Amino acid sequence: MTDTTKPLSRPASSPSALVTWVLLLAVFAAIYLAALHLPPLLDDADATHAQAAAHMAETGDLVTLKVNGIRYLEKPPLPYWIVAGLYKVLGENAYATHLPNALAVLGCAWIAWLWCRRAWGDRAALYAALGTLTSFGPFLFTRFFIPEALLSFLLLAALYCLLTGFESLRPGRFYIAWAALALATLTKGLIAPIFFFAAAIPTLLLSGYWRRWRQLKPVSGSLLFLLIAVPWHVLAGLRNPTQGHPSGIIPTIGNVHGFWYFYFLNEHVFRFLGLRFPHDYNRLPFVAYWLLHLVWVFPWSLFFPAALIIAWRTRHTWLQHLHRDGGQTVDFYLDHAVREDVASYVFRLKFRTRSAWLLGIFAAFTLVFFALSTNQEYYTWPAWIPLVMLTAGVLASIEETWESVRHEEKQSGSSKTRVAGSFWILNAHILFAVIGAGVAAALILGLWESRNLPYVSDIGTLLAHRAVGDYSLSMSHFFDLTGPSFAALRLPAIIAGVALLLGPTTGLGLRLMRRNMAATVSVGLTAAVFLVAAHIAFIRFEPMLSSKQLADTIIQKGSATDDFVIYGEQSDASSVVFYTHRFFGHPALLVMERCSPHGNGSSMVWGSCYPDAPDIFLTEDQLSAQWGQGNRHWLFAQDTKRSKVQQLLAGKLIPVQTIADKTLWTDRPL
């Protein structure tokens, strides 16, 4: 994927490693580290997963995850082990919960820098790391506690060590690859080795490395993998065995398949086939699934056309440099090795080709796999960094060739020579400027329309409730934005608008002046400022996305003997459960049918069917009978269930607090 038709006549200027990492760490600190304190933990997956980590930290049980006292068997443990350890040091808070995600992104940037520096050079390394830190997808899907960032880092590390183990003749790197793969399996399950080998095996076959298979340490490496990955799976199965006499996939009270069935069949095989129980997830439409990747890798996806053009024009050389003994003539290498000795040039060219194949196959397999399976927007996270790396490598190569050709033209006085891909790079900047101006105009319009509206701290009261995808897609709430909501988003809208007006036009000007590296870096810096503004806006959504304010009210006005009741699934108020569980010292009560195939979400249904599950499930009749009797009750319900609660407990409800689309009541005066 590199145009090698023209030799380079002089070194292209590249930043030093120190300068590069000063810039990268500053960007990382602004986008990720500064964002860890706020907002507090969100309802649904974020605080649910945090509950599981808190259970580990408080009980020392590192085998069985539990949420609100119920077994939570669907996730591997490594992310929860890490967060539980941080809870011991930093306390149970949002910072400790989201710090591993942030560090995993930094780790991905580091691997991208190392890999691209070796394959394409310093400039490509800078672009790859900057692209990792400023792409929209990694930013969006590190705002809550999910394992994809850690999975991506571990898989990239495994792939890098696999390739460099062969290239550098360092057998120790193969052991690192096996260990990283085992940790990736403990992060996300069996898709880790599936994705790894789906990319590694074709690359080894194409490159001829399969003949050196003994260097992979297949026996001792496999034993290391099993030693790391297997013990937890065995212990989890032994501690969570089958109960009763389950029949079929749907459990009933006392009759439930054990961990091994649930984890390996239900969570892996049945999920891929769309048969998983409970079916509490949605699937992106086919076209949207593919087009959204232009968003997840934006703004670096603007350079996809240039990368594709170069890949197509060099298609006849894709296999040329893969094999150790394959390639061009000695004269070819002599002509192209102006900047370094021939041996180093040949080594880098072959490593570059093998890297392109390995990263390309890995990204392609990941994308196709989830196109055929059930998916969420963030499931393809592991493919985003390889896409950025490949794009960065081609982009840097085009720029360096462009600059070398211009230098030769100045020396010879010849006419301008067209460099493959340069036209598409210029077009990418033009498109970026157009998109920036369009989005800035929309933000300005929103600000103008809301200019006379007062600032409202609870943005949830200004949003529509369009329920796109029934809110089972992670980005569903984005479609609830309305014009009046800009009254609460003035500051981030101004920052984003200014960044999108000035950044892309500045980058375009730099590109027209042939200051290529500055132009490309400006793309990343523009995205960085925009993402800072986006996080400020994200904080403004706290009342809608998190219920911590209600938890604070309960802690201030309640007592440890009170009961907290959720009318519905625990994920509706999982942040309240997280922030109050130490205060109460006992699980929240849920008004829903236990072990119900219809009423329970995935975080509760399977574990609630175990016969030893805590008695936390109430019927509506039981809630009505207990309301106003015994200990004080605090009742939480979302707007969609408010009318049912008011009808069930008519005249007995004492409102305490309402934020966004949720209300807290109690059963006696405060």
Side-chain angles (χ1 to χ4, degrees), residues 454-462 487-488 539-544 549:
Y455 171 81
V456 178
S457 60
D458 187 353
I459 196 173
T461 61
L462 305 174
I539 294 172
R540 301 288 171 85
F541 280 86
E542 176 198 334
M544 183 176 182
Q549 293 182 32

Side-chain angles (χ1 to χ4, degrees), residues 390-623:
L390 290 169
T391 302
V394 176
L395 176 59
S397 298
I398 293 172
E399 289 182 355
E400 290 170 347
T401 303
W402 194 356
E403 291 164 5
S404 296
V405 168
R406 289 186 64 248
H407 178 71
E408 290 181 354
E409 289 175 348
K410 288 182 179 180
Q411 297 295 323
S412 63
S414 61
S415 59
K416 292 184 178 180
T417 303
R418 184 173 179 180
V419 176
S422 58
F423 172 77
W424 294 99
I425 292 179
L426 180 59
N427 281 345
H429 274 276
I430 294 173
L431 179 58
F432 192 32
V434 171
I435 293 173
V439 175
L443 293 173
I444 292 171
L445 179 61
L447 290 169
W448 177 258
E449 290 184 347
S450 63
R451 66 192 184 280
N452 295 322
L453 296 176
Y455 171 81
V456 178
S457 60
D458 187 353
I459 196 173
T461 61
L462 305 174
L463 298 176
H465 298 281
R466 300 184 176 98
V468 173
D470 197 26
Y471 293 123
S472 58
L473 296 172
S474 60
M475 296 299 293
S476 295
H477 286 289
F478 176 80
F479 297 95
D480 292 341
L481 285 170
T482 61
S485 64
F486 274 90
L489 300 174
R490 289 192 179 103
L491 175 60
I494 291 172
I495 295 174
V498 172
L500 292 175
L501 275 178
L502 299 181
T505 54
T506 300
L508 177 59
L510 291 170
R511 187 69 72 183
L512 292 172
M513 296 166 59
R514 302 294 190 267
R515 298 181 62 182
N516 290 314
M517 187 183 301
T520 303
V521 170
S522 75
V523 174
L525 296 182
T526 299
V529 176
F530 178 84
L531 294 180
V532 170
H535 188 76
I536 296 173
F538 184 62
I539 294 172
R540 301 288 171 85
F541 280 86
E542 176 198 334
M544 183 176 182
L545 301 177
S546 175
S547 302
K548 184 179 184 296
Q549 293 182 32
L550 302 183
D552 292 340
T553 298
I554 292 173
I555 292 172
Q556 292 170 5
K557 300 182 179 181
S559 68
T561 59
D562 297 350
D563 287 321
F564 177 58
V565 185
I566 304 172
Y567 192 91
E569 160 67 15
Q570 77 84 30
S571 61
D572 294 346
S574 58
S575 64
V576 178
V577 177
F578 177 85
Y579 286 111
T580 62
H581 75 278
R582 281 184 175 273
F583 175 75
F584 286 128
H586 55 268
L589 303 176
L590 308 178
V591 182
M592 59 189 300
E593 184 181 349
R594 176 184 172 188
C595 196
S596 168
H598 307 293
N600 289 19
S602 61
S603 64
M604 305 299 294
V605 59
W606 210 273
S608 69
C609 295
Y610 274 79
D612 61 352
D615 186 19
I616 61 173
F617 300 94
L618 302 176
T619 65
E620 291 184 344
D621 290 340
Q622 288 174 324
L623 173 64

